[in-house]
Amino acid sequence: MTTNTESWGSRIGIVLAMAGNAVGFGNFLRFPIQAMENGGGAFIIPYLVCFLLLGIPLTFAEWTMGRFGGSFGDHSTPYIMGRVGKKRGWRYVGVLGLFSTLAIASYYCYIESWTLSYVYHSIAGTFRDMTQSESALFFRDYQDMSSSHSGIPYENVVAYIVCLALNVWILTRGLKGGIEKVAKFGVPLLIVFGIFLAIKGATIQPGESGAVAKGLDGLNFLWNPQFTSLLDPKVWLAAAGQIFFTLSLGMGCIQCYASYMSRDEDVALGAMTTSFVNEFVEIVLGGTIIISIAVGFFGLENVLSMVSDEGGFGIAFQTMPFLFNKWGAIMGTLCGVAFFGLLFIAGITSSLAMCTPTQSLLRDEFGWSRVKSAIIIGVVILLWGLPTVIFYRHGVFDEYDYWAGTVSLFLFAMLEAILFSWVNGIDNSWNELNRSASIKIPKIFKFILKYITPTLLIVIFIAALIKPKDDDWSQLSFKGWEVDAGSIIGKIQGKGAGANTKWFADTLYSDVNGYYSETLKMNHALMINIVALNDEGVAYGFVKSYPIKDSDTLLIRKGELVKAGDPIITGHFVNDTFYQAMARFYMMLLLLLIFSTICYISWKKDKLEKKIKS
Amino acid sequence: MSTSALILMIAIQLPVTILAIYFVTKIIKEDR
């Protein structure tokens, strides 16, 4: 029986909390990188089409299901989906939602802690007078537990725990007194910081503070329309993926927040508001800040090379502190605080949303207090998150991101779209969506929700399963094709592990064709660097580093050419494949199993209570 | 900045901004 009497304080509070959930690192870090990697203007058109065909319809579905479940006292996805689907199987689909939220929160809090540390270092002046390579090295050093730039030992672990403690403390304050207050203060502040940085970036002129190009040159690249991209499946997949991340779909956070609304509140208006606030932050602010500042100071060609070499979230942390310094000490500090502070707010409002579904389950079904449930969630996140902090360099973080933050989201969203439109019936769902709506949703969305959105999600999921090598879709044929290392099948087969596939080995092999350039001492550890060469024998900027201990034997000489698969060091090694397998099989599957068991126990408990009553 | 890029940017950013402001204003009004 539920003793959970949480509710929102105001409608604007719900919308800001929902906007805070949606606005995250994806808006400021992932969107610009995705846009650059997929050809700038070539990306924008598929992105907007996906927003209309996937983003808005799924947001409608999640808000509607959440409010519906909430009217029966259900606040977590297993119960909400079980209520909508009326079959036990749908409850287990809902378990997938709980699993995703907590698994993602485990590594998301780590990125959040980077931003918190970077705010501190911006104020402390750590980045002042740093060169670009020093700034990049700072980020790499930060991932190393033995290094500290603040004097605090295990700085990255301490920052992670501080961040997590802050999340737990806000969760103990509840929806109205915690999450809503943070959103009401944080989201407007984030927008103010964003507008300030976007104006600063877009107005960069060549020659000013060492800038080599106009900030607007970056925007020109982003917004130059290229209609040929409409035929490229790779760009469509990237655009659909971005829409998922940015709107926080397929996780159950939206359902959970919406379940605390009253049955007569307007979900249609709420869904449209949060979707468009998120798009404003992403397209207008997120699309301007990093691109215009980086292009202004590095030039377009250099930024494109950096994106293709480095990619990912790391690029902003490696370059922005250096670029902000070009505006002088005071403005550099101000911009650093604004940028990393903005990221921190975006991160914490999202991680709070990720913790709420599990907290709701514990409170609803086990009658736990806010404080007790928040602390237990904090402990679980700490246990699952610490491996991403400690073994970050071994690919544990990426493994969590792939299985929980990508595959699970798509799978969950695909099933919830089928549940909403086909199992519950589009007419029932449409009526529920329009109940108490103060805006008229165009009828075309009924057709999109029934046919287009589920079909697109199934196609995207199949495409992710069988993606051909190097995203080259012309390889597809009835005779078969080689799958990409990043496809789901490729991941299960362990493709992309390089030459060192064994968990434990006594020989380390080179993963790349290249030459042994140097031995470096990095934070108490010796590393040998292999400079990668392309097919023409030219270095293209990628360097692969391998750790070496005193007891190991180096098999190559400085300057010697090596081929991928050639032995380079003998000794005793634990390869990255071991850590990745542990992350995948032990951490991820265990968490899924724990959630399934908790839900099973709570359903058994419900049944027993009903029996006693009758 | 090229004219086509400017047109696409304005054609997308302007409606998104206007709709975001419109929806937020509507909710604030209804809250009152």
Side-chain angles (χ1 to χ4, degrees):
Chain A
M1 202 184 133
T2 178
T3 51
N4 187 351
T5 53
E6 291 275 6
S7 65
W8 295 105
S10 64
R11 292 187 66 190
I12 193 69
I14 309 168
V15 168
L16 288 176
M18 285 278 199
N21 165 40
V23 173
F25 300 128
N27 298 59
F28 296 99
L29 304 179
R30 198 174 186 276
F31 174 74
I33 302 297
Q34 285 288 317
M36 297 294 258
E37 280 180 339
N38 289 287
F43 179 76
I44 286 290
I45 296 164
Y47 171 84
L48 286 168
V49 173
C50 288
F51 174 62
L52 292 174
L53 300 183
L54 281 178
I56 291 182
L58 275 174
T59 312
F60 280 150
E62 294 201 353
W63 276 74
T64 309
M65 284 197 279
R67 185 186 60 177
F68 177 77
S71 65
F72 295 93
D74 300 327
H75 303 106
S76 58
T77 43
Y79 279 84
I80 293 171
M81 295 186 85
R83 181 77 62 184
V84 177
K86 299 180 190 77
K87 289 259 165 63
R88 190 181 293 181
W90 287 107
R91 291 176 163 190
Y92 284 99
V93 173
V95 171
L96 204 59
L98 284 184
F99 155 76
S100 301
T101 48
L102 233 53
I104 296 171
S106 305
Y107 67 83
Y108 205 85
C109 278
Y110 187 37
I111 314 177
E112 217 172 287
S113 70
W114 300 350
T115 63
L116 194 63
S117 287
Y118 270 59
V119 169
Y120 165 77
H121 286 295
S122 297
I123 296 168
T126 313
F127 303 124
R128 222 163 282 160
D129 304 324
M130 268 191 183
T131 61
Q132 164 54 24
S133 53
E134 283 169 339
S135 174
L137 197 65
F138 178 91
F139 178 69
R140 279 175 219 165
D141 270 1
Y142 185 81
Q143 313 306 336
D144 192 328
M145 281 176 55
S146 59
S147 90
S148 172
H149 290 269
S150 59
I152 302 167
Y154 304 108
E155 186 183 340
N156 58 348
V157 179
V158 171
Y160 179 74
I161 292 171
V162 168
C163 232
L164 191 54
L166 200 58
N167 273 279
V168 169
W169 179 71
I170 296 167
L171 285 173
T172 63
R173 315 287 297 170
L175 283 183
K176 203 168 148 185
I179 294 170
E180 194 173 327
K181 272 189 182 166
V182 172
K184 275 182 170 171
F185 166 76
V187 174
L189 185 67
L190 173 151
I191 292 173
V192 170
F193 279 173
I195 292 172
F196 164 69
L197 288 165
I199 293 171
K200 199 85 185 98
T203 52
I204 290 174
Q205 293 297 326
E208 169 200 302
S209 310
V212 295
K214 283 183 186 173
L216 285 178
D217 290 351
L219 297 185
N220 187 46
F221 174 74
L222 182 64
W223 291 100
N224 208 10
Q226 293 176 37
F227 296 104
T228 47
S229 67
L230 296 176
L231 299 173
D232 188 350
K234 176 180 164 255
V235 179
W236 281 94
L237 279 179
Q242 180 57 27
I243 284 297
F244 258 82
F245 283 105
T246 189
L247 291 170
S248 297
L249 296 167
M251 283 198 275
C253 301
I254 296 175
Q255 280 103 321
C256 178
Y257 274 5
S259 71
Y260 289 101
M261 297 167 78
S262 82
R263 187 78 197 271
D264 295 321
E265 277 188 79
D266 186 350
V267 288
L269 178 61
M272 287 298 260
T273 311
T274 51
S275 298
F276 276 93
V277 167
N278 180 73
E279 287 314 297
F280 166 75
V281 173
E282 178 147 310
I283 295 175
V284 182
L285 305 180
T288 305
I289 299 171
I290 291 187
I291 292 182
S292 59
I293 297 176
V295 169
F297 285 108
F298 290 132
L300 182 60
E301 291 307 315
N302 288 332
V303 173
L304 288 174
S305 307
M306 279 161 75
V307 167
S308 73
D309 287 347
E310 293 283 346
F313 284 170
I315 197 160
F317 292 91
Q318 293 180 41
T319 56
M320 284 302 170
F322 163 70
L323 299 181
F324 291 147
N325 270 330
K326 294 203 167 218
W327 282 318
I330 295 170
M331 189 50 89
T333 305
L334 210 62
C335 289
V337 171
F339 182 69
F340 294 110
L342 161 159
L343 289 180
F344 178 71
I345 296 167
I348 198 163
T349 46
S350 300
S351 61
L352 286 169
M354 290 173 204
C355 298
T356 312
T358 307
Q359 191 181 28
S360 299
L361 178 85
L362 297 176
R363 298 203 62 206
D364 285 353
E365 307 308 324
F366 297 96
W368 288 9
S369 69
R370 268 200 313 237
V371 176
K372 187 178 171 185
S373 54
I375 291 173
I376 292 295
I377 288 170
V379 171
V380 172
I381 292 181
L382 185 68
L383 288 175
W384 261 260
L386 273 182
T388 67
V389 181
I390 299 166
F391 306 117
Y392 177 83
R393 283 200 179 143
H394 297 287
V396 172
F397 182 102
D398 293 337
E399 207 63 25
Y400 274 44
D401 186 36
Y402 185 81
W403 293 105
T406 311
V407 177
S408 181
L409 295 194
F410 268 106
L411 193 61
F412 183 83
M414 185 176 74
L415 295 170
E416 79 175 351
I418 293 168
L419 171 65
F420 186 77
S421 301
W422 290 88
V423 177
N424 191 44
I426 191 66
D427 289 328
N428 287 339
S429 297
W430 185 256
N431 290 339
E432 183 62 30
L433 166 64
N434 282 288
R435 192 190 154 91
S436 312
S438 62
I439 55 166
K440 197 168 163 51
I441 304 168
K443 265 257 166 95
I444 184 80
F445 275 106
K446 192 175 176 182
F447 175 80
I448 294 172
L449 268 163
K450 185 167 184 186
Y451 297 105
I452 311 278
T453 309
T455 310
L456 269 178
L457 287 165
I458 292 169
V459 169
I460 291 166
F461 191 74
I462 294 171
L465 209 63
I466 56 157
K467 189 167 79 168
K469 195 179 177 201
D470 300 329
D471 246 334
D472 178 9
W473 289 86
S474 62
Q475 288 181 49
L476 285 193
S477 89
F478 288 109
K479 289 176 187 163
W481 62 90
E482 193 181 342
V483 292
D484 190 73
S487 67
I488 298 175
I489 292 177
K491 275 272 182 187
I492 293 169
Q493 288 176 339
K495 280 176 177 279
N500 300 293
T501 52
K502 283 184 183 167
W503 287 4
F504 309 104
D506 48 21
T507 308
L508 206 59
Y509 301 92
S510 173
D511 291 297
V512 293
N513 295 326
Y515 68 92
Y516 166 33
S517 65
E518 58 189 336
T519 305
L520 284 177
K521 191 165 187 184
M522 282 174 70
N523 301 319
H524 321 294
L526 275 179
M527 309 287 282
I528 68 156
N529 281 350
I530 307 278
V531 175
L533 302 174
N534 62 17
D535 293 342
E536 284 82 41
V538 180
Y540 56 93
F542 181 71
V543 178
K544 181 82 189 169
S545 300
Y546 297 91
I548 180 166
K549 299 185 292 289
D550 291 339
S551 54
D552 296 340
T553 310
L554 189 60
L555 304 175
I556 48 176
R557 286 187 304 273
K558 207 170 266 185
E560 188 177 330
L561 285 172
V562 287
K563 282 185 186 159
D566 282 354
I568 50 174
I569 313 170
T570 55
H572 297 290
F573 307 101
V574 181
N575 286 323
D576 288 353
T577 48
F578 168 76
Y579 298 101
Q580 288 159 6
M582 286 298 111
R584 191 184 312 165
F585 297 116
Y586 169 62
M587 303 303 285
M588 294 285 97
L589 280 181
L590 187 63
L591 191 62
L592 191 58
L593 204 68
I594 288 173
F595 272 123
S596 303
T597 312
I598 290 172
C599 290
Y600 181 76
I601 292 168
S602 89
W603 296 325
K604 282 278 165 202
K605 208 170 114 276
D606 284 352
K607 242 185 179 177
L608 198 70
E609 276 175 2
K610 272 183 196 163
K611 244 186 191 173
I612 292 167
K613 268 186 192 168
S614 62
Chain B
M1 204 171 176
S2 72
T3 315
S4 55
L6 194 65
I7 289 171
L8 183 66
M9 190 174 95
I10 292 171
I12 291 169
Q13 286 195 349
L14 197 63
V16 165
T17 309
I18 290 170
L19 282 169
I21 295 170
Y22 168 74
F23 286 131
V24 170
T25 315
K26 193 169 167 63
I27 285 203
I28 292 172
K29 271 186 189 164
E30 284 185 12
D31 241 359
R32 282 176 189 158

PDB file of all heavy atoms in Angstrom, chain A residues 581-600:
ATOM      1  N   ALA A 581      34.110  -6.558 -19.618  1.00  0.00           N
ATOM      2  CA  ALA A 581      33.232  -7.720 -19.426  1.00  0.00           C
ATOM      3  C   ALA A 581      32.613  -7.678 -18.032  1.00  0.00           C
ATOM      4  O   ALA A 581      31.436  -7.979 -17.846  1.00  0.00           O
ATOM      5  CB  ALA A 581      34.019  -9.010 -19.622  1.00  0.00           C
ATOM      6  N   MET A 582      33.410  -7.289 -17.032  1.00  0.00           N
ATOM      7  CA  MET A 582      32.892  -7.182 -15.670  1.00  0.00           C
ATOM      8  C   MET A 582      31.774  -6.137 -15.621  1.00  0.00           C
ATOM      9  O   MET A 582      30.741  -6.342 -14.985  1.00  0.00           O
ATOM     10  CB  MET A 582      34.006  -6.762 -14.692  1.00  0.00           C
ATOM     11  CG  MET A 582      35.005  -7.838 -14.359  1.00  0.00           C
ATOM     12  SD  MET A 582      34.259  -9.242 -13.533  1.00  0.00           S
ATOM     13  CE  MET A 582      34.395 -10.469 -14.797  1.00  0.00           C
ATOM     14  N   ALA A 583      32.000  -5.004 -16.297  1.00  0.00           N
ATOM     15  CA  ALA A 583      30.997  -3.936 -16.316  1.00  0.00           C
ATOM     16  C   ALA A 583      29.716  -4.436 -16.963  1.00  0.00           C
ATOM     17  O   ALA A 583      28.616  -4.180 -16.480  1.00  0.00           O
ATOM     18  CB  ALA A 583      31.538  -2.730 -17.085  1.00  0.00           C
ATOM     19  N   ARG A 584      29.879  -5.174 -18.042  1.00  0.00           N
ATOM     20  CA  ARG A 584      28.724  -5.618 -18.814  1.00  0.00           C
ATOM     21  C   ARG A 584      27.974  -6.735 -18.087  1.00  0.00           C
ATOM     22  O   ARG A 584      26.789  -6.632 -17.833  1.00  0.00           O
ATOM     23  CB  ARG A 584      29.224  -6.111 -20.169  1.00  0.00           C
ATOM     24  CG  ARG A 584      28.141  -6.355 -21.169  1.00  0.00           C
ATOM     25  CD  ARG A 584      28.727  -6.940 -22.441  1.00  0.00           C
ATOM     26  NE  ARG A 584      29.891  -6.202 -22.915  1.00  0.00           N
ATOM     27  CZ  ARG A 584      30.740  -6.670 -23.830  1.00  0.00           C
ATOM     28  NH1 ARG A 584      30.553  -7.860 -24.343  1.00  0.00           N
ATOM     29  NH2 ARG A 584      31.775  -5.953 -24.235  1.00  0.00           N
ATOM     30  N   PHE A 585      28.696  -7.801 -17.736  1.00  0.00           N
ATOM     31  CA  PHE A 585      28.017  -8.976 -17.203  1.00  0.00           C
ATOM     32  C   PHE A 585      27.727  -8.852 -15.711  1.00  0.00           C
ATOM     33  O   PHE A 585      26.641  -9.172 -15.263  1.00  0.00           O
ATOM     34  CB  PHE A 585      28.847 -10.242 -17.469  1.00  0.00           C
ATOM     35  CG  PHE A 585      29.007 -10.511 -18.924  1.00  0.00           C
ATOM     36  CD1 PHE A 585      30.247 -10.480 -19.524  1.00  0.00           C
ATOM     37  CD2 PHE A 585      27.890 -10.770 -19.714  1.00  0.00           C
ATOM     38  CE1 PHE A 585      30.385 -10.718 -20.882  1.00  0.00           C
ATOM     39  CE2 PHE A 585      28.020 -11.002 -21.068  1.00  0.00           C
ATOM     40  CZ  PHE A 585      29.268 -10.979 -21.655  1.00  0.00           C
ATOM     41  N   TYR A 586      28.724  -8.385 -14.971  1.00  0.00           N
ATOM     42  CA  TYR A 586      28.550  -8.359 -13.524  1.00  0.00           C
ATOM     43  C   TYR A 586      27.708  -7.150 -13.100  1.00  0.00           C
ATOM     44  O   TYR A 586      26.634  -7.305 -12.536  1.00  0.00           O
ATOM     45  CB  TYR A 586      29.915  -8.373 -12.836  1.00  0.00           C
ATOM     46  CG  TYR A 586      29.860  -8.089 -11.360  1.00  0.00           C
ATOM     47  CD1 TYR A 586      29.168  -8.943 -10.500  1.00  0.00           C
ATOM     48  CD2 TYR A 586      30.493  -6.976 -10.828  1.00  0.00           C
ATOM     49  CE1 TYR A 586      29.100  -8.675  -9.151  1.00  0.00           C
ATOM     50  CE2 TYR A 586      30.434  -6.710  -9.478  1.00  0.00           C
ATOM     51  CZ  TYR A 586      29.739  -7.552  -8.645  1.00  0.00           C
ATOM     52  OH  TYR A 586      29.666  -7.283  -7.310  1.00  0.00           O
ATOM     53  N   MET A 587      28.189  -5.954 -13.452  1.00  0.00           N
ATOM     54  CA  MET A 587      27.530  -4.749 -12.952  1.00  0.00           C
ATOM     55  C   MET A 587      26.146  -4.535 -13.571  1.00  0.00           C
ATOM     56  O   MET A 587      25.165  -4.312 -12.882  1.00  0.00           O
ATOM     57  CB  MET A 587      28.392  -3.512 -13.206  1.00  0.00           C
ATOM     58  CG  MET A 587      29.769  -3.564 -12.609  1.00  0.00           C
ATOM     59  SD  MET A 587      29.773  -3.820 -10.838  1.00  0.00           S
ATOM     60  CE  MET A 587      29.288  -2.217 -10.246  1.00  0.00           C
ATOM     61  N   MET A 588      26.064  -4.591 -14.905  1.00  0.00           N
ATOM     62  CA  MET A 588      24.807  -4.279 -15.565  1.00  0.00           C
ATOM     63  C   MET A 588      23.753  -5.355 -15.321  1.00  0.00           C
ATOM     64  O   MET A 588      22.633  -5.062 -14.927  1.00  0.00           O
ATOM     65  CB  MET A 588      25.037  -4.120 -17.078  1.00  0.00           C
ATOM     66  CG  MET A 588      25.905  -2.930 -17.465  1.00  0.00           C
ATOM     67  SD  MET A 588      25.057  -1.354 -17.322  1.00  0.00           S
ATOM     68  CE  MET A 588      25.592  -0.824 -15.734  1.00  0.00           C
ATOM     69  N   LEU A 589      24.137  -6.620 -15.556  1.00  0.00           N
ATOM     70  CA  LEU A 589      23.164  -7.703 -15.371  1.00  0.00           C
ATOM     71  C   LEU A 589      22.739  -7.829 -13.922  1.00  0.00           C
ATOM     72  O   LEU A 589      21.587  -8.091 -13.621  1.00  0.00           O
ATOM     73  CB  LEU A 589      23.739  -9.029 -15.874  1.00  0.00           C
ATOM     74  CG  LEU A 589      23.685  -9.232 -17.385  1.00  0.00           C
ATOM     75  CD1 LEU A 589      24.267 -10.583 -17.756  1.00  0.00           C
ATOM     76  CD2 LEU A 589      22.269  -9.136 -17.916  1.00  0.00           C
ATOM     77  N   LEU A 590      23.684  -7.615 -13.009  1.00  0.00           N
ATOM     78  CA  LEU A 590      23.357  -7.715 -11.585  1.00  0.00           C
ATOM     79  C   LEU A 590      22.325  -6.655 -11.196  1.00  0.00           C
ATOM     80  O   LEU A 590      21.365  -6.936 -10.481  1.00  0.00           O
ATOM     81  CB  LEU A 590      24.637  -7.554 -10.748  1.00  0.00           C
ATOM     82  CG  LEU A 590      24.477  -7.790  -9.251  1.00  0.00           C
ATOM     83  CD1 LEU A 590      24.048  -9.221  -8.963  1.00  0.00           C
ATOM     84  CD2 LEU A 590      25.793  -7.508  -8.517  1.00  0.00           C
ATOM     85  N   LEU A 591      22.525  -5.440 -11.692  1.00  0.00           N
ATOM     86  CA  LEU A 591      21.586  -4.360 -11.364  1.00  0.00           C
ATOM     87  C   LEU A 591      20.196  -4.688 -11.910  1.00  0.00           C
ATOM     88  O   LEU A 591      19.183  -4.480 -11.241  1.00  0.00           O
ATOM     89  CB  LEU A 591      22.094  -3.032 -11.949  1.00  0.00           C
ATOM     90  CG  LEU A 591      21.362  -1.782 -11.484  1.00  0.00           C
ATOM     91  CD1 LEU A 591      21.485  -1.586  -9.984  1.00  0.00           C
ATOM     92  CD2 LEU A 591      21.896  -0.536 -12.194  1.00  0.00           C
ATOM     93  N   LEU A 592      20.143  -5.216 -13.129  1.00  0.00           N
ATOM     94  CA  LEU A 592      18.863  -5.585 -13.741  1.00  0.00           C
ATOM     95  C   LEU A 592      18.189  -6.688 -12.919  1.00  0.00           C
ATOM     96  O   LEU A 592      16.982  -6.640 -12.666  1.00  0.00           O
ATOM     97  CB  LEU A 592      19.117  -6.062 -15.178  1.00  0.00           C
ATOM     98  CG  LEU A 592      17.894  -6.245 -16.070  1.00  0.00           C
ATOM     99  CD1 LEU A 592      17.099  -4.958 -16.207  1.00  0.00           C
ATOM    100  CD2 LEU A 592      18.326  -6.703 -17.460  1.00  0.00           C
ATOM    101  N   LEU A 593      18.994  -7.626 -12.464  1.00  0.00           N
ATOM    102  CA  LEU A 593      18.479  -8.733 -11.660  1.00  0.00           C
ATOM    103  C   LEU A 593      17.952  -8.226 -10.315  1.00  0.00           C
ATOM    104  O   LEU A 593      16.893  -8.645  -9.848  1.00  0.00           O
ATOM    105  CB  LEU A 593      19.622  -9.737 -11.432  1.00  0.00           C
ATOM    106  CG  LEU A 593      19.207 -11.157 -11.134  1.00  0.00           C
ATOM    107  CD1 LEU A 593      18.554 -11.790 -12.347  1.00  0.00           C
ATOM    108  CD2 LEU A 593      20.417 -11.984 -10.704  1.00  0.00           C
ATOM    109  N   ILE A 594      18.683  -7.302  -9.697  1.00  0.00           N
ATOM    110  CA  ILE A 594      18.261  -6.756  -8.402  1.00  0.00           C
ATOM    111  C   ILE A 594      16.911  -6.061  -8.540  1.00  0.00           C
ATOM    112  O   ILE A 594      15.990  -6.269  -7.755  1.00  0.00           O
ATOM    113  CB  ILE A 594      19.337  -5.787  -7.840  1.00  0.00           C
ATOM    114  CG1 ILE A 594      20.562  -6.589  -7.380  1.00  0.00           C
ATOM    115  CG2 ILE A 594      18.783  -4.962  -6.682  1.00  0.00           C
ATOM    116  CD1 ILE A 594      21.747  -5.731  -6.975  1.00  0.00           C
ATOM    117  N   PHE A 595      16.783  -5.235  -9.578  1.00  0.00           N
ATOM    118  CA  PHE A 595      15.514  -4.521  -9.787  1.00  0.00           C
ATOM    119  C   PHE A 595      14.371  -5.492 -10.069  1.00  0.00           C
ATOM    120  O   PHE A 595      13.255  -5.309  -9.573  1.00  0.00           O
ATOM    121  CB  PHE A 595      15.639  -3.498 -10.917  1.00  0.00           C
ATOM    122  CG  PHE A 595      16.117  -2.177 -10.426  1.00  0.00           C
ATOM    123  CD1 PHE A 595      17.254  -1.592 -10.943  1.00  0.00           C
ATOM    124  CD2 PHE A 595      15.429  -1.494  -9.435  1.00  0.00           C
ATOM    125  CE1 PHE A 595      17.712  -0.364 -10.483  1.00  0.00           C
ATOM    126  CE2 PHE A 595      15.869  -0.275  -8.968  1.00  0.00           C
ATOM    127  CZ  PHE A 595      17.010   0.292  -9.493  1.00  0.00           C
ATOM    128  N   SER A 596      14.651  -6.532 -10.879  1.00  0.00           N
ATOM    129  CA  SER A 596      13.598  -7.512 -11.179  1.00  0.00           C
ATOM    130  C   SER A 596      13.154  -8.196  -9.893  1.00  0.00           C
ATOM    131  O   SER A 596      11.957  -8.391  -9.660  1.00  0.00           O
ATOM    132  CB  SER A 596      14.116  -8.572 -12.156  1.00  0.00           C
ATOM    133  OG  SER A 596      14.574  -7.957 -13.312  1.00  0.00           O
ATOM    134  N   THR A 597      14.109  -8.537  -9.021  1.00  0.00           N
ATOM    135  CA  THR A 597      13.779  -9.211  -7.769  1.00  0.00           C
ATOM    136  C   THR A 597      12.972  -8.296  -6.850  1.00  0.00           C
ATOM    137  O   THR A 597      11.965  -8.714  -6.269  1.00  0.00           O
ATOM    138  CB  THR A 597      15.083  -9.664  -7.050  1.00  0.00           C
ATOM    139  OG1 THR A 597      15.897 -10.319  -8.006  1.00  0.00           O
ATOM    140  CG2 THR A 597      14.808 -10.580  -5.888  1.00  0.00           C
ATOM    141  N   ILE A 598      13.402  -7.017  -6.747  1.00  0.00           N
ATOM    142  CA  ILE A 598      12.673  -6.067  -5.885  1.00  0.00           C
ATOM    143  C   ILE A 598      11.219  -5.957  -6.355  1.00  0.00           C
ATOM    144  O   ILE A 598      10.282  -5.988  -5.562  1.00  0.00           O
ATOM    145  CB  ILE A 598      13.367  -4.682  -5.899  1.00  0.00           C
ATOM    146  CG1 ILE A 598      14.702  -4.754  -5.165  1.00  0.00           C
ATOM    147  CG2 ILE A 598      12.478  -3.617  -5.262  1.00  0.00           C
ATOM    148  CD1 ILE A 598      15.535  -3.497  -5.281  1.00  0.00           C
ATOM    149  N   CYS A 599      11.048  -5.817  -7.672  1.00  0.00           N
ATOM    150  CA  CYS A 599       9.697  -5.669  -8.210  1.00  0.00           C
ATOM    151  C   CYS A 599       8.891  -6.941  -7.986  1.00  0.00           C
ATOM    152  O   CYS A 599       7.719  -6.887  -7.621  1.00  0.00           O
ATOM    153  CB  CYS A 599       9.746  -5.322  -9.694  1.00  0.00           C
ATOM    154  SG  CYS A 599      10.360  -3.666  -9.954  1.00  0.00           S
ATOM    155  N   TYR A 600       9.524  -8.094  -8.162  1.00  0.00           N
ATOM    156  CA  TYR A 600       8.832  -9.372  -7.962  1.00  0.00           C
ATOM    157  C   TYR A 600       8.342  -9.476  -6.515  1.00  0.00           C
ATOM    158  O   TYR A 600       7.201  -9.828  -6.251  1.00  0.00           O
ATOM    159  CB  TYR A 600       9.785 -10.527  -8.304  1.00  0.00           C
ATOM    160  CG  TYR A 600       9.161 -11.886  -8.160  1.00  0.00           C
ATOM    161  CD1 TYR A 600       8.275 -12.362  -9.115  1.00  0.00           C
ATOM    162  CD2 TYR A 600       9.447 -12.680  -7.049  1.00  0.00           C
ATOM    163  CE1 TYR A 600       7.682 -13.610  -8.976  1.00  0.00           C
ATOM    164  CE2 TYR A 600       8.860 -13.929  -6.900  1.00  0.00           C
ATOM    165  CZ  TYR A 600       7.983 -14.392  -7.866  1.00  0.00           C
ATOM    166  OH  TYR A 600       7.402 -15.622  -7.718  1.00  0.00           O
TER     167      TYR A 600
END
